[in-house]
Amino acid sequence: MAVAHSVSVIGWLAAKAAKWFAHQLALLGIDVVSGGGDCGIMKAVCEGAVEAETEARSIGCTMKFPTQDNSAAIHKLWESWDWGTRLRLFGTLGNVYVCKKFGIGTLLEVLIIAQQLQFFLKTGYLPEHAGLYMHNLSVQHGWKPHIILVGRWWELFIKLLRVMAIDMKTISEEDLAMFEFAKDERAALVMVVRYHEEWRAHMISKGLEPKN
């Protein structure tokens, strides 16, 4: 069985930087997952992946909006009718998640990804519904996804969680260990390359054939 490595790109400060990052991922043969829209950061990520002209796919998790089209630069499309389904899909299709911009929507996506990862790591449970990693063969074969947060503001947010939630015993240090930090997109790319090699070795050890 063949399996592909993918990176979800969530939120960014500038379209140019987002496009560069997606382009570098695709040059490495890594599939790039984004919101898939035909505007702003989503469009830049899709175009960056496609313009690399490699076998890497631009994967879009979109919503059916009457006022917004999907990006033309998508190889595979997952289209949802509601926010919940879209968030679950977006949070299960990646093997590595990289996030930079800190907004309400971005924060929600990061926390949902963390919640799903926390649930899976604690229970090992893969339900046949709700989208919880059901599409991610890597996770089903024991791969632990990584959440890379880019920029100092994320470190401050996680510090706040540590002070508040650990005192209330609602989050553990083990939970917070899911989050990793990178100074900028170049540092994040170095981390992704390292995890890509680790992912390849893990898939081969499970008898699977890495596509990239």
Side-chain angles (χ1 to χ4, degrees):
M1 182 185 297
V3 62
H5 193 230
S6 58
V7 172
S8 291
V9 179
I10 311 167
W12 224 256
L13 288 174
K16 183 177 180 180
K19 185 173 182 177
W20 175 86
F21 189 77
H23 190 79
Q24 298 305 310
L25 294 176
L27 288 176
L28 294 168
I30 297 173
D31 291 345
V32 180
V33 184
S34 73
D38 192 32
C39 62
I41 304 302
M42 294 182 291
K43 180 180 180 180
V45 170
C46 294
E47 290 178 347
V50 168
E51 289 174 9
E53 298 184 346
T54 66
E55 294 185 3
R57 297 173 298 170
S58 169
I59 302 173
C61 296
T62 67
M63 282 279 292
K64 289 182 177 291
F65 282 121
T67 58
Q68 178 178 301
D69 295 326
N70 297 329
S71 171
I74 292 179
H75 297 120
K76 185 172 180 61
L77 176 67
W78 295 84
E79 198 166 39
S80 305
W81 285 99
D82 63 275
W83 284 108
T85 302
R86 178 181 180 270
L87 283 170
R88 285 195 299 271
L89 281 170
F90 197 70
T92 57
L93 291 174
N95 299 318
V96 176
Y97 301 91
V98 181
C99 179
K100 187 170 185 180
K101 187 172 69 171
F102 196 120
I104 292 176
T106 302
L107 181 59
L108 178 62
E109 291 170 341
V110 168
L111 292 179
I112 285 179
I113 290 166
Q115 181 191 40
Q116 294 186 153
L117 179 55
Q118 176 199 47
F119 180 80
F120 172 70
L121 293 176
K122 287 182 180 293
T123 66
Y125 181 52
L126 285 167
E128 296 299 324
H129 55 83
L132 184 59
Y133 291 118
M134 62 186 292
H135 304 292
N136 194 320
L137 290 175
S138 298
V139 173
Q140 291 181 36
H141 287 86
W143 171 256
K144 175 187 172 184
H146 296 269
I147 303 174
I148 301 173
L149 305 177
V150 184
R152 181 173 175 269
W153 45 86
W154 282 111
E155 294 188 57
L156 296 175
F157 175 72
I158 299 303
K159 284 181 180 178
L160 178 63
L161 281 184
R162 177 171 283 107
V163 170
M164 295 177 59
I166 289 183
D167 284 349
M168 292 186 290
K169 302 186 185 304
T170 55
I171 294 179
S172 68
E173 285 288 353
E174 180 184 6
D175 294 330
L176 294 180
M178 293 187 294
F179 301 106
E180 304 167 63
F181 304 102
K183 179 179 67 175
D184 53 30
E185 54 265 22
R186 293 184 183 276
L189 184 62
V190 171
M191 296 171 70
V192 170
V193 170
R194 183 171 77 249
Y195 293 139
H196 180 53
E197 293 304 315
E198 292 178 4
W199 170 84
R200 285 183 55 84
H202 181 82
M203 293 300 104
I204 291 172
S205 73
K206 297 297 181 178
L208 301 173
E209 177 188 348
K211 287 184 178 179
N212 47 12

